[in-house]
């Protein structure tokens, strides 16, 4: 049996974390959820995941601070990170459906 790649989901919103986890499981990944930086660090200390999905806006320390800390750590620096950040509109006034044309 092939080992499923492990994905650490660092997300403080349970509904969002569950939606991501369901989709990951459905596509052959093993999701592990951490709701804040402290529990994420605990998971990283136990087992190094293949990928980390990291929310930037977390209670306590920001996702950006965590990513910088983990990249500086030689053991964790080789893991792939994806930080979820708020999307910006491409141009002033938004696009179709945003009232800006």
């Amino acid at each position: 049996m092939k080992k499923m790649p492990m994905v650490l989901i660092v997300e403080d919103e349970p509904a969002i974390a569950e939606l991501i986890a369901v989709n990951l499981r459905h596509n052959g990944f093993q999701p592990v959820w951490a709701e804040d930086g402290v529990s994420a660090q605990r998971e990283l200390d136990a087992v190094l995941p293949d990928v980390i999905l990291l929310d930037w806006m977390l209670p306590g320390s920001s996702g950006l601070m965590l990513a910088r800390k983990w990249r500086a750590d030689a053991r964790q620096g080789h893991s792939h990170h994806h930080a979820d950040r708020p999307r910006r509109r491409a141009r002033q006034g938004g696009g179709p459906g945003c009232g800006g044309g």
Side-chain angles (χ1 to χ4, degrees):
M1 183 176 192
K2 185 178 176 184
K3 180 185 174 242
M4 295 189 308
M6 183 178 150
V7 179
L8 176 60
I9 304 165
V10 185
E11 171 59 62
D12 61 321
E13 298 282 341
I16 294 172
E18 182 59 26
L19 179 64
I20 293 168
V22 165
N23 283 286
L24 287 170
R25 270 188 227 102
H26 180 73
N27 287 287
F29 294 90
Q30 176 190 355
V32 175
W33 176 44
E35 63 185 341
D36 57 29
V38 173
S39 55
Q41 186 63 57
R42 195 174 317 125
E43 293 293 339
L44 283 173
D45 290 342
V47 178
L48 188 61
D50 296 293
V51 176
I52 300 170
L53 294 177
L54 179 60
D55 185 357
W56 275 24
M57 300 179 71
L58 294 168
S61 59
S62 75
L64 185 58
M65 288 174 48
L66 289 171
R68 287 180 179 150
K69 174 184 171 190
W70 294 336
R71 283 185 177 163
D73 183 326
R75 178 178 165 258
Q76 298 161 1
H78 298 291
S79 184
H80 301 282
H81 300 80
H82 171 76
D84 181 22
R85 62 181 184 268
R87 298 175 195 256
R88 294 185 181 166
R89 287 188 247 179
R91 58 188 169 94
Q92 185 71 21
C98 295

